[in-house]
Amino acid sequence: MKPFRSLTAIEQLAAYLRTEMQAGALGETMPGVHRLAKELGVGQKSVGAAMALLEREGLVIRHGERRRCQILPQAESAKSGLRVGLLLYESYDRMEPFLLELHHLIENAGHVPVFSSKTLMDLGIDLERVKDYVKHHEVDAWVVFSVSTDILEWFATGPVPAFSVFGQRHRLPIAGTGPDKVPALREVVRRLVGLGHRKIVRVVREDRRKPQPAVLEQAFLDELAAQGITTGDYNLPEWEESPEGFKQCLDNLFRLTPPTALFLDEVFFFTIAQHYLARRGILSPEHVSLICSDPDPSFDWFLPRVSHIQWDRRPVVRRVVRWIENVAQGKDDRRQTDIKAYFVEGGTIGPVR
């Protein structure tokens, strides 16, 4: 097995640009350094270093400091492996470090990873639209991220091998991997109840609530009930999946019976919620305890440190690459693996006032 190596910021930037070139999004010439730096929110020196790395790989030719780089046609040898489609949940997921690492390792294994031009959100998480979109793409295998049960059922029975990263894959005949958060989530609920919390709310996306609660959400409701808390829509609120809908959800929650503990499902939503609360003078843990379902390197820099569920993303990357290799060898690999997750208690939870 190849050793796992984290990419530097320059390598991550080069991987992103490499993907854009392979998708044909940049045409025949690379945008200027100044424009790229502005669009990507990075320094011009970082862009220059990434371009130099791409030039050493034989992907671009630089013609001078103030002239655009020429993008070279991809070598035919790069097409000898599998063409692997990566169907993401949202477009911003493409900049996730572990996804860039995954893209890099798939290439190193001799395959061609291709991010789909549309995400599940672009397709409205609608099964018929996803089916129509996928059928018009010629790939040898699909790796899909955070997909709902009905869409995964279709991928599991389709002619093209598919792998589920996260998503509601349990009890389906499809290969997949992701963290097993259920034990950690139950520990969070027990800890909150021990601190006197009774009004505990978990905010998740619609596909994790409907048509019925997903495995993790059902475990959340079951543990509340086990602790003697009557559960209902308050604990797993409905909301429209949009910036306005998320704000409205928080407005409704904190208008009449504010929760004493708020459990956010993603780093993205945790950050937005914390900003929303701070603007209204609602502090953590003084007024409300906050917990995030996922880890993020930035949490170590928060004061107080964020309470969250921690898990290692590296086994996820390795498992995806092994599955692609198995598919390339003609093996029918439908094994699912769960990554251990555990609760990290930070300073964002405390006793009820």
Side-chain angles (χ1 to χ4, degrees):
M1 181 183 298
K2 295 180 180 179
F4 181 87
R5 182 179 64 85
S6 296
L7 296 179
T8 65
I10 301 301
E11 289 172 327
Q12 291 179 28
L13 180 56
Y16 175 77
L17 294 174
R18 191 185 301 113
T19 301
E20 292 294 286
M21 289 189 292
Q22 291 173 345
L26 301 177
E28 297 180 354
T29 59
M30 188 76 72
V33 171
H34 178 75
R35 177 183 163 187
L36 281 174
K38 185 176 180 181
E39 290 183 357
L40 300 177
V42 298
Q44 294 187 37
K45 289 185 178 180
S46 296
V47 173
M51 298 291 284
L53 180 58
L54 295 175
E55 184 179 32
R56 289 196 297 272
E57 295 176 3
L59 299 177
V60 299
I61 296 179
R62 293 194 291 181
H63 296 291
E65 184 176 347
R66 296 185 178 275
R67 299 182 63 186
R68 289 189 174 192
C69 291
Q70 178 186 351
I71 298 175
L72 297 175
Q74 294 183 41
E76 290 299 321
S77 60
K79 301 178 182 179
S80 59
L82 297 183
R83 184 174 173 84
V84 183
L86 304 175
L87 179 59
L88 305 183
Y89 191 89
E90 287 189 293
S91 56
Y92 72 81
D93 291 339
R94 292 178 64 167
M95 290 303 291
E96 283 280 349
F98 96 96
L99 264 173
L100 294 173
E101 177 71 8
L102 173 61
H103 190 282
H104 181 68
L105 291 179
I106 293 174
E107 283 187 322
N108 278 358
H111 308 290
V112 181
V114 180
F115 284 116
S116 60
S117 58
K118 291 187 180 295
T119 65
L120 289 169
M121 286 291 286
D122 294 332
L123 298 168
I125 319 179
D126 180 82
L127 175 58
E128 293 305 316
R129 292 179 64 186
V130 170
K131 288 165 64 174
D132 183 66
Y133 177 78
V134 167
K135 287 177 180 177
H136 288 85
H137 285 72
E138 294 185 5
V139 299
D140 302 301
W142 281 102
V143 178
V144 296
F145 297 79
S146 304
V147 177
S148 58
T149 302
D150 59 337
I151 298 176
L152 277 183
E153 285 177 341
W154 179 77
F155 271 107
T157 57
V160 179
F163 187 97
S164 172
V165 180
F166 319 133
Q168 300 179 42
R169 57 192 165 80
H170 295 94
R171 297 186 294 274
L172 293 177
I174 187 171
T177 189
D180 177 14
K181 300 179 184 177
V182 170
L185 180 142
R186 290 183 179 276
E187 181 184 350
V188 171
V189 173
R190 291 193 293 268
R191 176 60 174 150
L192 290 172
V193 171
L195 291 170
H197 293 272
R198 307 293 292 179
K199 294 183 289 183
I200 305 171
V201 172
R202 178 166 168 79
V203 180
V204 298
R205 296 181 186 268
E206 182 178 7
D207 63 292
R208 301 201 63 82
R209 304 188 308 268
K210 297 179 179 178
Q212 60 187 14
V215 172
L216 192 61
E217 282 58 54
Q218 189 59 55
F220 169 69
L221 296 175
D222 291 345
E223 187 60 38
L224 288 177
Q227 298 299 322
I229 299 175
T230 302
T231 63
D233 293 341
Y234 174 80
N235 305 102
L236 208 62
E238 299 285 335
W239 59 283
E240 176 190 341
E241 202 160 313
S242 67
E244 296 76 17
F246 189 70
K247 177 182 179 299
Q248 185 64 50
C249 175
L250 295 176
D251 285 342
N252 293 338
L253 284 172
F254 286 89
R255 181 175 292 118
L256 297 176
T257 55
T260 59
L262 193 58
F263 202 158
L264 286 306
D265 191 44
E266 301 173 37
V267 176
F268 177 69
F269 292 124
F270 180 91
T271 304
I272 296 173
Q274 194 173 52
H275 177 69
Y276 169 94
L277 297 173
R279 291 188 62 185
R280 288 155 180 78
I282 303 172
L283 303 179
S284 171
E286 291 85 354
H287 305 122
V288 61
S289 289
L290 295 178
I291 309 96
C292 185
S293 291
D294 285 309
D296 190 83
S298 66
F299 286 170
D300 289 336
W301 290 83
F302 277 62
L303 292 176
R305 190 183 183 196
V306 175
S307 299
H308 64 280
I309 292 179
Q310 180 70 37
W311 50 279
D312 191 351
R313 299 179 186 270
R314 291 174 295 180
V316 173
V317 174
R318 293 196 293 265
R319 173 66 182 115
V320 175
V321 176
R322 283 199 301 271
W323 175 80
I324 294 172
E325 290 288 271
N326 287 339
V327 172
Q329 296 170 20
K331 298 179 181 178
D332 183 18
D333 180 357
R334 296 176 185 252
R335 184 169 60 93
Q336 295 191 13
T337 59
D338 290 322
I339 310 302
K340 184 178 179 180
Y342 55 94
F343 173 47
V344 176
E345 181 171 341
T348 56
I349 68 171
V352 177
R353 292 202 305 176

